[in-house]
Amino acid sequence: MNTTRSGRPALTRPDGTPLRVLVVDDDPDLAEVLSGALRYEGWQVRTAGDGASAVAAARELLPDAVVLDVMLPDTDGFAVLRSLHTVKADVCVLFLTARDAVEDRIKGITAGGDDYVTKPFSLEEVVARLRGLLRRAGMARQLDEGPRLTVGDLVMDEDAREVTRGGELIELSPTEFELLRFLMRNPRRVLSKAQILDRVWSYDFGGRAHVVELYISYLRKKVDAGREPLIHTVRGAGYVIKPVTP
Amino acid sequence: MNTTRSGRPALTRPDGTPLRVLVVDDDPDLAEVLSGALRYEGWQVRTAGDGASAVAAARELLPDAVVLDVMLPDTDGFAVLRSLHTVKADVCVLFLTARDAVEDRIKGITAGGDDYVTKPFSLEEVVARLRGLLRRAGMARQLDEGPRLTVGDLVMDEDAREVTRGGELIELSPTEFELLRFLMRNPRRVLSKAQILDRVWSYDFGGRAHVVELYISYLRKKVDAGREPLIHTVRGAGYVIKPVTP
DNA sequence: GGGCCGGTTCAGAGGGTCCTGAGAAGTTCA
DNA sequence: TGAACTTCTCAGGACCCTCTGAACCGGCCC
């Protein structure tokens, strides 16, 4: 089976070909970061910088999903959405939008099951939302297990945003939740603080790696408190989450 | 079984094929939003912008239901209705009409089992009405369970518009009812304020997400008052309804 | 041992999210 | 027409989340 840089099997559609995503943003840097992260996750990625070329690219690529900036130089996102749906009716769309534009043009978007993320976002957020869209659309075979992540007796339900350990409910803040999700999606793999910062914190975060240590300590208090620890420090390298008994 | 983007099983007719609906409206944005919401609910959707193409599309699609704007650029909705019935006698029709439209004529039509919604409507309203029509027509297998929604000891009878908790009747305003219905149709799933706004409030509502918080607080006062809470806030994410003990 | 380094933890400021009460405008119904 | 109800805006305030700064801890090397 084809594998990706992340070590996970490539995401494939029911017919075995890789999942395709089109990234549309007029900021080339951001488009690059996004497509890098998605490629890493096993997507076949293509980018476009404006509405016209987005529709053209979609006609060629016939993507399963589109990551679409609402503010584009030529057209507005809603028009692009309509064109995309005429190109491929069952395409999933994830919108990127500025914080204060939310109420405006996003109206009606999520009604179709599409979703949106506000800038500045974290890559983990984008990747997770996209996964959610595809899973609900029944597109990717690998996602069939559903919205559940498990490490030992620690269980995360992404849809319900619920985390339990040994059946006991654990309350987490948004950042704690994202950090834990990132760890749990990469069990038994050492993640550096830089990696964590890049994925869990938003791309324009200027802070230092110290926050990662801080949030790891928060997580430990809630997740590992008084129990066999799942979260481990690897000095000089980063952190891992792994079950106690392999 | 085939599933939809909403995670619910696809709506199917007695013979196993998906339910088909034709959306007829001359406003392409509205048609797009409507068809998105219906597709998400498991319908096979097709749209038309005027009476002539509506009849043509119906002849091809042979829809189980039609969502029909009364005001069309070429013909009026009632003429279309007659044509539709010659194409497929047992089709269910949901009319979309302006608030001050001639109510008598609508009522004459709906006597036949069809229904109508006045603009501006909420998507939740349209989706629910359509469900009701199909259920009464005995079309969809999945709807056989009837009009009852249950979360813990909270019970909603959609047809009677009645809500009880622990047997005790709870009086709700229209908006409160729709909000609660949307929550109860998605138990244990965190719904963002944007999602709620898109589905429960009418499509032309310009207000801010703040109203959602307000109505959640109203609901809590009536539904959760002095009892074990069913409605939960997930900070930074949205709201969930779920029974205390799973 | 002393200094250094990576990591952990505590305390607290500031900012944001969310809740709620009060009240204005619009709607329904008698 | 007036009263009751519904819907929504506004503003105050409580609480939580996030991040900074600084102290602390233990291992490692000189």
Side-chain angles (χ1 to χ4, degrees):
Chain A
M1 177 186 288
N2 199 6
T3 60
T4 68
R5 283 157 61 192
S6 68
R8 273 189 284 272
L11 292 166
T12 56
R13 338 160 79 206
D15 66 6
T17 59
L19 280 172
R20 301 189 285 259
V21 61
L22 174 64
V23 174
V24 187
D25 200 302
D26 59 324
D27 175 357
D29 284 352
L30 188 51
E32 193 44 48
V33 172
L34 274 171
S35 67
L38 291 170
R39 215 166 272 129
Y40 184 76
E41 290 287 319
W43 291 81
Q44 181 184 329
V45 189
R46 182 141 168 199
T47 62
D50 57 64
S53 54
V55 175
R59 228 180 283 278
E60 253 184 66
L61 181 67
L62 294 176
D64 302 288
V66 178
V67 177
L68 178 60
D69 190 352
V70 180
M71 299 290 267
L72 287 175
D74 51 349
T75 22
D76 94 346
F78 223 94
V80 178
L81 175 69
R82 224 179 307 139
S83 307
L84 287 175
H85 273 143
T86 61
V87 171
K88 188 161 181 295
D90 63 343
V91 68
C92 299
V93 181
L94 181 68
F95 285 87
L96 308 178
T97 164
R99 165 126 301 174
D100 34 355
V102 181
E103 324 295 342
D104 257 19
R105 249 356 217 158
I106 292 299
K107 271 253 79 185
I109 297 299
T110 66
D114 292 334
D115 204 350
Y116 75 97
V117 189
T118 58
K119 292 183 182 181
F121 47 76
S122 73
L123 291 174
E124 185 58 20
E125 185 75 41
V126 172
V127 167
R129 291 288 177 91
L130 217 45
R131 259 168 42 99
L133 281 180
L134 268 280
R135 171 158 35 78
R136 256 164 265 138
M139 284 275 183
R141 279 189 303 182
Q142 286 77 11
L143 304 174
D144 282 352
E145 342 100 32
R148 279 225 164 138
L149 289 170
T150 304
V151 173
D153 61 343
L154 182 65
V155 180
M156 168 178 289
D157 181 326
E158 292 190 71
D159 276 353
R161 280 193 157 248
E162 228 176 49
V163 176
T164 59
R165 176 147 189 204
E168 195 178 328
L169 192 67
I170 298 173
E171 306 260 2
L172 297 177
S173 77
T175 306
E176 288 163 2
F177 182 85
E178 292 238 322
L179 172 56
L180 183 60
R181 170 159 63 188
F182 184 46
L183 292 175
M184 290 183 75
R185 292 206 60 230
N186 296 279
R188 325 192 127 271
R189 168 178 302 164
V190 178
L191 301 166
S192 74
K193 278 177 242 183
Q195 272 178 307
I196 296 176
L197 215 50
D198 281 351
R199 280 295 284 261
V200 177
W201 270 260
S202 52
Y203 55 83
D204 69 344
F205 179 66
R208 332 200 57 254
H210 178 62
V211 287
V212 177
E213 300 162 9
L214 184 62
Y215 271 85
I216 287 283
S217 104
Y218 289 160
L219 269 190
R220 287 211 248 241
K221 260 188 233 163
K222 296 185 176 180
V223 172
D224 284 345
R227 289 172 267 220
E228 197 114 30
L230 294 175
I231 302 171
H232 307 273
T233 304
V234 182
R235 255 180 173 259
Y239 299 94
V240 216
I241 195 165
K242 59 183 174 189
V244 198
T245 48
Chain B
M1 177 188 290
N2 200 8
T3 60
T4 68
R5 288 164 70 179
S6 68
R8 278 187 281 271
L11 293 167
T12 56
R13 338 160 78 206
D15 66 6
T17 59
L19 280 172
R20 300 189 285 259
V21 62
L22 174 64
V23 174
V24 187
D25 200 300
D26 59 323
D27 174 358
D29 277 357
L30 187 51
E32 171 69 24
V33 171
L34 273 171
S35 69
L38 291 171
R39 207 170 279 127
Y40 186 70
E41 290 288 319
W43 291 82
Q44 182 183 328
V45 188
R46 182 136 170 202
T47 63
D50 56 63
S53 53
V55 176
R59 228 181 283 279
E60 253 184 67
L61 181 68
L62 294 176
D64 302 287
V66 178
V67 177
L68 179 60
D69 190 354
V70 179
M71 299 288 269
L72 288 175
D74 51 347
T75 22
D76 99 346
F78 302 101
V80 178
L81 176 69
R82 272 191 300 276
S83 308
L84 286 176
H85 273 139
T86 65
V87 171
K88 188 162 181 294
D90 63 342
V91 68
C92 299
V93 179
L94 181 68
F95 289 92
L96 307 179
T97 163
R99 168 125 303 174
D100 10 313
V102 233
E103 297 244 338
D104 320 341
R105 294 191 68 189
I106 298 285
K107 281 188 180 137
I109 299 297
T110 59
D114 294 334
D115 201 353
Y116 73 100
V117 189
T118 58
K119 291 185 180 183
F121 48 77
S122 74
L123 292 173
E124 188 58 20
E125 184 74 40
V126 171
V127 166
R129 289 291 174 88
L130 218 44
R131 264 201 313 268
L133 278 181
L134 269 281
R135 192 174 50 234
R136 260 165 266 134
M139 284 276 185
R141 280 187 301 179
Q142 286 76 11
L143 303 173
D144 283 351
E145 342 100 31
R148 277 238 169 128
L149 291 170
T150 305
V151 173
D153 61 343
L154 181 66
V155 180
M156 168 178 288
D157 182 326
E158 289 190 74
D159 278 356
R161 287 205 149 236
E162 230 176 49
V163 176
T164 59
R165 176 148 189 202
E168 194 178 329
L169 191 67
I170 297 174
E171 305 263 1
L172 298 177
S173 77
T175 306
E176 288 163 0
F177 181 85
E178 295 240 320
L179 172 56
L180 184 59
R181 170 160 62 189
F182 184 46
L183 292 175
M184 290 183 76
R185 285 188 54 82
N186 296 278
R188 322 198 120 268
R189 168 176 290 166
V190 177
L191 302 167
S192 73
K193 277 178 245 185
Q195 276 177 309
I196 295 175
L197 216 50
D198 278 356
R199 278 298 281 262
V200 177
W201 269 260
S202 54
Y203 55 84
D204 70 342
F205 178 66
R208 325 203 73 254
H210 182 66
V211 287
V212 178
E213 300 167 17
L214 186 64
Y215 271 84
I216 287 283
S217 112
Y218 290 159
L219 269 190
R220 286 211 247 241
K221 263 186 229 163
K222 296 186 177 180
V223 173
D224 284 345
R227 290 172 268 219
E228 197 112 33
L230 294 175
I231 301 170
H232 307 271
T233 302
V234 183
R235 243 167 189 264
Y239 299 94
V240 217
I241 195 165
K242 61 182 175 189
V244 200
T245 48

